[in-house]
Amino acid sequence: MKPSIFLTLFALMIVPALASTATSHAAEVNIYSARQEHLIKPLLDTFTQQTGIRYRLLTGKGPALLERLKNEGRNSPADVLITVDVGNLVAAKQAGVLQPVSSQILDHNIPSHYRDDDGFWYGLSARSRVIFYAKDRVDPARVDTWEKLAEPALGYRVCVRSSSNIYNQSLMAAMIAHHGEEKALDWAFGLVKNFGRKPQDNDTGQIRAVAAGECDVAIANTYYYARLMASADPADQQVVEKVALLWPNQAGRGTHMNLSGAGIARSAKHVDAALALIEFLSGETAQAFYSAQNNEYPVNPAVPSSGIVSEMGDFKADTLNLSDIEKHSSQAIRLMDRAGWR
Ligand code: FE
């Protein structure tokens, strides 16, 4: 027997009504963020204004948030994990605390090499790890690739932070992806031989050490240098005067890139709202903010860089698919250890 016209009409009326009720119940999203509150809150407030979706924000260090997600398991209130470094995104995927999603908006806004092949995480801002050198005593042509920093005859002292730092682990994983395990290990051995001091301090500390004459060359992410450029402190201005930024591997593959990004928690009770948030963060408003406020690079190719970031100039970025870091992350730590990079 066919359903009556009345029933069909009734169904047509009630389904949209139920759907909109479901949406209003779901109009909230719980965020675990390794990005500091002041870097993310203005964006989240704009998201709420535009969508009516309210948010709750818990901030913490990346590894601590991951531990928390693991411990909370299915009971976790988290809908979205926002974190920095592809190494942390990969670790969250491998720990099973994220779920895969697909979205035409995300696929359109984010180039494929800046998102997980399986949809577990999406890059939201790009960051570049580069080489810095002392203007008064280093010939930039001798240090203009990652490979040159490991040459036995380099004659310059290289400063870099510890191998426990995720930025270095991701750089090492990228070296393995490009050169294979054996050559990457040789590179790490050569680099360690050129260390000017025992690895210590943070990225800014490496740049300062070059200015202070403790090293000739430093490895650091560009936004730390941008912060020094923007600083009103005369001591910071002196550092910028003495130390130059160099984009590595410009004649070849381009410089090593990394990401901040987000994924939807496996425990998410508000998947639609969580996805709407990540889509918003990949859109024009948020992407422009990442560049203007955080001194990082938009992943969305439709959005230009601005502010200090554009003052630092254009460069060729490595287009290595950052999903490949996953294959090499544990190997990277082992090889750095073998090379004596502490
Ligand atoms: Fe950082």
Side-chain angles (χ1 to χ4, degrees):
M1 197 178 119
K2 279 187 184 170
S4 72
I5 290 205
F6 173 78
L7 266 180
T8 309
L9 278 176
F10 179 75
L12 283 174
M13 286 184 319
I14 198 136
V15 167
L18 278 176
S20 74
T21 314
T23 313
S24 73
H25 275 299
E28 60 177 57
V29 59
N30 291 318
I31 303 158
Y32 282 14
S33 173
R35 298 227 79 152
Q36 293 163 291
E37 185 164 337
H38 71 277
L39 293 179
I40 189 95
K41 198 172 177 298
L43 284 178
L44 300 176
D45 290 339
T46 308
F47 172 70
T48 298
Q49 278 166 19
Q50 286 186 6
T51 62
I53 300 172
R54 287 169 293 126
Y55 70 88
R56 284 197 204 92
L57 179 63
L58 176 85
T59 56
K61 294 267 179 206
L65 289 178
L66 177 56
E67 272 315 296
R68 187 172 175 141
L69 278 168
K70 284 200 267 187
N71 291 335
E72 290 172 342
R74 287 181 184 281
N75 298 323
S76 175
D79 296 309
V80 177
L81 173 68
I82 294 174
T83 191
V84 295
D85 201 282
V86 65
N88 286 324
L89 292 164
V90 160
K93 178 187 177 185
Q94 289 178 329
V97 300
L98 299 178
Q99 60 175 294
V101 285
S102 63
S103 151
Q104 284 184 352
I105 292 174
L106 292 178
D107 288 354
H108 176 262
N109 287 350
I110 305 171
S112 58
H113 61 283
Y114 285 156
R115 49 184 152 89
D116 179 45
D117 284 343
D118 306 316
F120 281 86
W121 53 259
Y122 291 85
L124 294 173
S125 64
R127 45 233 331 250
S128 182
R129 194 155 186 73
V130 301
I131 295 168
F132 294 89
Y133 65 93
K135 292 180 194 172
D136 64 350
R137 59 184 182 276
V138 173
D139 171 8
R142 304 246 340 265
V143 294
D144 62 3
T145 67
W146 290 110
E147 288 73 15
K148 285 182 185 177
L149 295 191
E151 282 175 5
L154 183 70
Y156 295 130
R157 299 157 299 163
V158 179
C159 270
V160 64
R161 68 203 285 181
S162 134
S163 62
S164 64
N165 172 254
I166 193 94
Y167 305 156
N168 287 334
Q169 293 171 9
S170 294
L171 173 66
M172 186 67 197
M175 291 300 282
I176 299 170
H178 282 299
H179 294 297
E181 181 171 343
E182 207 174 315
K183 275 193 175 166
L185 178 61
D186 284 348
W187 175 77
F189 266 115
L191 184 69
V192 169
K193 285 213 178 88
N194 289 332
F195 280 180
R197 61 178 188 179
K198 222 173 102 206
Q200 57 196 271
D201 210 347
N202 56 22
D203 273 16
T204 307
Q206 314 310 315
I207 301 171
R208 289 193 202 282
V210 171
E214 214 179 321
C215 317
D216 308 305
V217 177
I219 297 172
N221 290 354
T222 58
Y223 52 85
Y224 294 104
Y225 190 73
R227 253 180 238 167
L228 292 170
M229 284 171 75
S231 167
D233 184 339
D236 291 341
Q237 285 307 311
Q238 269 188 20
V239 171
V240 172
E241 216 136 275
K242 289 179 179 171
V243 183
L245 181 159
L246 183 153
W247 303 105
N249 297 78
Q250 294 303 284
R253 65 181 182 268
T255 194
H256 170 66
M257 299 300 289
N258 208 313
L259 296 168
S260 83
I264 297 190
R266 185 153 188 200
S267 59
K269 318 283 184 295
H270 311 103
V271 173
D272 291 349
L275 189 56
L277 173 63
I278 299 177
E279 289 173 346
F280 168 81
L281 293 174
S282 73
E284 276 185 38
T285 307
Q287 289 291 299
F289 179 92
Y290 280 123
S291 167
Q293 302 299 318
N294 296 9
N295 301 316
E296 293 173 273
Y297 295 91
V299 288
N300 186 331
V303 181
S305 298
S306 62
I308 287 192
V309 162
S310 45
E311 270 176 52
M312 291 195 298
D314 286 333
F315 63 96
K316 181 177 173 187
D318 189 348
T319 55
L320 174 74
N321 184 344
L322 290 178
S323 286
D324 288 354
I325 296 289
E326 184 177 347
K327 291 180 218 147
H328 307 296
S329 54
S330 53
Q331 200 183 13
I333 296 168
R334 272 202 310 277
L335 295 193
M336 291 163 104
D337 193 51
R338 275 181 64 190
W341 186 341
R342 298 290 176 251

